[in-house]
Amino acid sequence: MLQLLLDLFADAADARAPVAPMLPVSPERETAAVSNASGQPESSAQAATLKIADGPAIDLNDALLPAQFEHPRANRTIRFSHAHVAYEFKRGKRRTIGFQVGADGLTVSAPRWTPLGEVDAALREKERWIVTKLREARERHARLEAARIEWREGAEIPFLGEPVVLVIDPRQRHGRGGAVLVPGDAALPGVPTMALHIGLPQTASAEQLRDTAQAWLMRQARRLFTERLDHFAPQLGVRWQKLSLSSADTRWGSASADGSIRLNWRLIHFRQPVIDYVVVHELAHLREMNHSPRFWQHVEDILPDYAERREQLKGELVPRW
């Protein structure tokens, strides 16, 4: 029977070993510093268009109805030409007015002495940027919610870019708490061609189903990542020493000069070409602990289409657990 739980993290790497810049997950928030304490703009407003997923770019001037955005801790509002924005306003020890757009909405920070009129002027200076980022954040949140997994029999999870249906199977040969991938019916269009049979009773809770599926995915991640590290390391002329699995929300991977590699196990949801890009990226850091032109040349030597794969990685949507 396959081991249920993985050893997620190996012994900590030597704290003195240099660590390469980590490969980040797509950012959750955008920030901008837009004016100085006197209210003079530090940079001009950025003209922007809104790109809806799988749709055309839309100029904000084409919007017919004002959008509504409200931060859960909103204490001020502003009415733009195409949006009404309730935002969180904070004062502190800073020299500029700054904007931050995240999952909750817009947060504005200003020096303690800045008049509210200058804050409003700065907001209007960056109206297009703010509204665009708020719309993008809302769209991203909607996509994330659509990707949330409902842990029940018949639910689907992505594995190497393909949907896998979950089947509760108390009789499956790997026993209680185990899981095994079984080919599905490829002849039926729209039906996943793989099923993950999980050895749990029909009365199993959603948490039990989730934990067993996650343990299986992590085993597959360690197996595949090890295989790909072994495949690409000789091509780069490097040796990796240790693989750790990460569950970080903001990083896909990192590398240390002592040969330690850390990869996010959630990469197993994605297609192998995308996984290979992250693996090569981290191995290349064993040659160059930076993102210099020499570093990217090492990556390109192995993956001539790395730029395309990098964009594919940015577009991947991580399922919500």
Side-chain angles (χ1 to χ4, degrees):
M1 182 179 72
L2 291 177
Q3 178 184 356
L4 176 59
L5 297 177
L6 290 171
D7 176 12
L8 300 186
F9 300 102
D11 293 336
D14 186 347
R16 296 170 298 177
V19 178
M22 296 182 182
L23 185 61
V25 174
S26 299
E28 292 291 339
R29 59 190 182 186
E30 298 278 352
T31 61
V34 297
S35 68
N36 57 29
S38 64
Q40 296 301 315
E42 293 182 343
S43 60
S44 60
Q46 301 174 11
T49 58
L50 173 64
K51 180 67 171 66
I52 302 297
D54 300 321
I58 302 175
D59 190 278
L60 295 178
N61 291 326
D62 293 336
L64 299 178
L65 297 176
Q68 303 285 337
F69 301 97
E70 183 171 356
H71 194 290
R73 296 184 298 278
N75 51 12
R76 281 184 59 80
T77 62
I78 188 167
R79 185 182 296 254
F80 292 136
S81 55
H82 297 291
H84 300 164
V85 180
Y87 62 92
E88 180 185 27
F89 179 65
K90 301 187 296 186
R91 292 188 182 273
K93 294 181 180 180
R94 54 178 298 130
R95 300 178 60 185
T96 63
I97 299 172
F99 301 148
Q100 183 180 88
V101 177
D104 286 337
L106 173 65
T107 297
V108 180
S109 302
R112 292 193 178 96
W113 59 82
T114 304
L116 291 177
E118 292 184 8
V119 174
D120 286 343
L123 280 162
R124 296 192 184 283
E125 171 72 12
K126 297 294 289 184
E127 174 181 348
R128 286 178 177 271
W129 185 91
I130 291 170
V131 175
T132 297
K133 293 304 178 184
L134 286 170
R135 290 182 183 271
E136 289 174 350
R138 176 176 288 179
E139 181 68 18
R140 174 176 172 78
H141 178 73
R143 294 197 305 270
L144 288 173
E145 287 303 309
R148 186 180 295 277
I149 299 173
E150 183 178 356
W151 293 104
R152 57 173 178 77
E153 185 169 35
E156 294 179 8
I157 59 174
F159 173 63
L160 295 178
E162 297 293 335
V164 173
V165 66
L166 300 179
V167 176
I168 296 178
D169 183 2
R171 301 169 299 176
Q172 67 99 350
R173 64 186 180 88
H174 283 276
R176 183 181 180 88
V180 61
L181 195 64
V182 176
D185 190 345
L188 297 177
V191 175
T193 58
M194 293 182 290
L196 185 62
H197 284 237
I198 295 178
L200 291 174
Q202 292 294 336
T203 56
S205 66
E207 290 75 15
Q208 289 175 304
L209 187 60
R210 178 199 63 203
D211 292 347
T212 305
Q214 179 175 332
W216 181 83
L217 287 168
M218 294 178 76
R219 287 196 296 273
Q220 307 314 306
R222 181 174 289 277
R223 175 191 59 77
L224 180 62
F225 297 169
T226 299
E227 174 189 309
R228 304 315 287 166
L229 286 166
D230 287 340
H231 175 75
F232 288 115
Q235 299 180 43
L236 282 158
V238 299
R239 294 182 62 184
W240 66 279
Q241 299 296 328
K242 180 170 56 180
L243 169 65
S244 299
L245 296 183
S246 164
S247 57
D249 291 332
T250 58
R251 299 292 177 186
W252 289 128
S254 63
S256 299
D258 63 359
S260 298
I261 302 291
R262 184 179 293 272
L263 297 172
N264 195 317
W265 71 264
R266 290 182 176 86
L267 286 165
I268 200 66
H269 289 305
F270 305 154
R271 293 174 298 108
Q272 186 169 316
V274 173
I275 296 173
D276 283 349
Y277 163 70
V278 179
V279 169
V280 171
H281 183 113
E282 300 310 333
L283 285 173
H285 278 310
L286 301 184
R287 297 285 301 272
E288 298 286 337
M289 301 300 287
N290 51 53
H291 286 132
S292 64
R294 288 181 61 183
F295 166 82
W296 290 113
Q297 186 59 58
H298 291 315
V299 176
E300 186 175 13
D301 288 344
I302 306 303
L303 300 176
D305 62 342
Y306 81 89
E308 179 182 345
R309 299 187 192 214
R310 182 173 57 181
E311 289 304 309
Q312 291 172 357
L313 175 63
K314 292 178 180 179
E316 293 285 3
L317 191 62
V318 183
R320 295 292 299 274
W321 282 64

